[in-house]
Amino acid sequence: MDHRTGRRGSVNRLLRRTVLDVPLGGHRCEIEIEYAETFLSPGHVRVEHLSFVAPKARVTKRYARLIAGMARHMPISTVARHTGLSWDSVKAIECAHLAETIPIPRPQTLTGIRYLGVYEVARAKGQSYFTLVYDLSPGTNSGRILWVKEGRESAVLIECLDALSQECAEGIQAVALDMGAAYIAAVRESLPGAAIVFDRFHVMQMFSKVIRDCRRAEFKAAKTLGDLTGQQTIKGSLWLLLSNRTTLKETDQGRLDQLLALNQPLASLYALKEQLQRLWQPNSTIAEMAQRLDDWCGMAKAAKITGLAAFVKTLQSHRTGICAYADHPITTSRLEAGNVSIALLRRRARGFRDMEYFKLKIFQLNTEDTSSFLYTKMPKTPCQTQIPTVGNP
């Protein structure tokens, strides 16, 4: 009987096939299968469906599931070495398994989206980029990856946003972005009713670059003057300047105080950094945030430190998006966590050449990692009383 149409036919011939199964006791396990080729009508011949064999692979589904589970946490080369399969075979098995099991969201079917986050990620450092769209709406799906496509131009993001249904697009209240012009233009074109929110993380990241540049300049100045004390104080201090005082140990706080006492430009930047962080106070209005931003820009201009003028100009040109946080308190922290996970994927794989495979691995981040079928969760039992030991363990 044909497994697709249910039509009955006669056995034309018997075929044989050998597939690999989960090793037993450390030994390679091969299963030899005999299955039928069925004649339905002239020009219509069907092969018996083998439900336990992985598609496009000579392994069973449970072995493919095990290989894919290993490949989620290990490089393909390592999985190949442990299983005795070739690198290409392991990759093909994992690709087929991911394509069959990983649900890939389609923009046309999305509903109930209130907030979006847009981010770019590199296939490899300095190489081609991908645009990622995240769901930042409150709820269990917050942080879910909705869209992955190669490129970081406006057209790439527009393709995703234009594919949304009218109801979904109209329900989107805000989109969290960095300050890249391409993504800003795409959101304004495709979602004119949505607010653009520039995240605190990106603003502070830009200010961190100002601190780095100033620290580097101060170190060079101390070296030119032969100030050994100044050089020693500044050397290795970047992480102190970028950290919050409350997270530092007491000894590190003392070292930070010494640095700030000896170097006025760095002390001014550190004070400005703490003031800038207070811009995003909870339960603020847009007017209050705008006033705090204007006050901060005034203090920064008065400091007259190299690099601050350009940073202030950037803030003022993006003040609407920065202050939009008051009405839409969304951040890209979840996007940063996703970016870290993608970076780990790249590092583990030593880069990706197959872009479709890379996309499947990215979408796999949406799915919860499950334990192997070889192991079952043991029921929780009451803790047993610890038997006292005699002497030193």
Side-chain angles (χ1 to χ4, degrees), residues 28-305:
R28 182 185 179 95
C29 181
E30 296 182 353
I31 300 177
E32 188 171 334
I33 308 167
E34 186 177 76
Y35 57 104
E37 181 185 74
T38 306
F39 175 82
L40 301 176
S41 62
H44 293 83
V45 178
R46 292 285 189 268
V47 175
E48 182 181 353
H49 177 59
L50 303 175
S51 59
F52 60 93
V53 178
K56 301 179 182 180
R58 294 186 176 273
V59 297
T60 61
K61 284 188 175 180
R62 63 180 182 180
Y63 195 21
R65 193 160 66 248
L66 178 61
I67 291 171
M70 297 169 64
R72 179 164 186 163
H73 303 285
M74 295 190 293
I76 291 178
S77 57
T78 304
V79 179
R81 186 167 62 250
H82 279 281
T83 59
L85 300 173
S86 68
W87 189 96
D88 291 326
S89 295
V90 172
K91 184 200 168 192
I93 290 170
E94 189 194 12
C95 276
H97 180 81
L98 292 176
E100 185 181 13
T101 60
I102 297 299
I104 298 180
R106 297 176 60 245
Q108 298 86 345
T109 62
L110 296 176
T111 58
I113 306 294
R114 289 177 53 195
Y115 297 128
L116 289 178
V118 182
Y119 210 84
E120 64 181 36
V121 63
R123 176 174 65 88
K125 188 174 182 180
Q127 297 188 17
S128 58
Y129 284 81
F130 282 80
T131 294
L132 277 73
V133 178
Y134 290 79
D135 181 4
L136 296 183
S137 306
T140 56
N141 288 329
S142 181
R144 180 179 54 148
I145 301 172
L146 302 177
W147 172 266
V148 179
K149 190 173 179 64
E150 193 169 4
R152 54 176 176 174
E153 301 80 19
S154 294
V156 176
L157 181 56
I158 289 173
E159 181 181 346
C160 171
L161 300 181
D162 286 351
L164 298 171
S165 66
Q166 182 178 355
E167 180 182 359
C168 181
E170 292 176 351
I172 296 176
Q173 300 175 13
V175 183
L177 303 172
D178 58 16
M179 296 182 183
Y183 291 155
I184 295 173
V187 173
R188 286 176 176 168
E189 178 179 335
S190 299
L191 298 176
I196 294 176
V197 180
F198 298 126
D199 183 51
R200 167 182 178 175
F201 171 82
H202 291 96
V203 175
M204 297 309 301
Q205 189 179 49
M206 292 174 61
F207 190 74
S208 296
K209 186 178 184 302
V210 177
I211 294 177
R212 286 186 174 91
D213 293 343
C214 180
R215 174 186 167 275
R216 189 181 298 112
E218 290 299 309
F219 183 83
K220 288 182 179 179
K223 188 175 182 180
T224 302
L225 296 174
D227 183 2
L228 296 179
T229 303
Q231 294 180 57
Q232 190 63 31
T233 304
I234 297 173
K235 186 176 181 180
S237 63
L238 179 60
W239 70 278
L240 291 173
L241 294 169
L242 299 182
S243 300
N244 294 326
R245 182 179 292 272
T246 55
T247 63
L248 296 175
K249 298 180 181 178
E250 186 175 348
T251 54
D252 295 328
Q253 290 183 12
R255 185 184 171 193
L256 175 63
D257 291 335
Q258 181 184 8
L259 171 65
L260 300 182
L262 293 176
N263 193 291
Q264 184 58 42
L266 291 179
S268 298
L269 281 180
Y270 192 83
L272 286 171
K273 185 195 75 169
E274 293 186 325
Q275 290 293 329
L276 183 59
Q277 288 176 332
R278 296 190 179 97
L279 176 64
W280 293 270
Q281 293 182 12
N283 302 321
S284 296
T285 64
I286 290 181
E288 291 170 344
M289 284 195 68
Q291 184 60 52
R292 288 197 295 268
L293 180 61
D294 291 339
D295 293 342
W296 188 92
C297 289
M299 291 187 295
K301 288 179 180 179
K304 296 182 179 180
I305 297 176

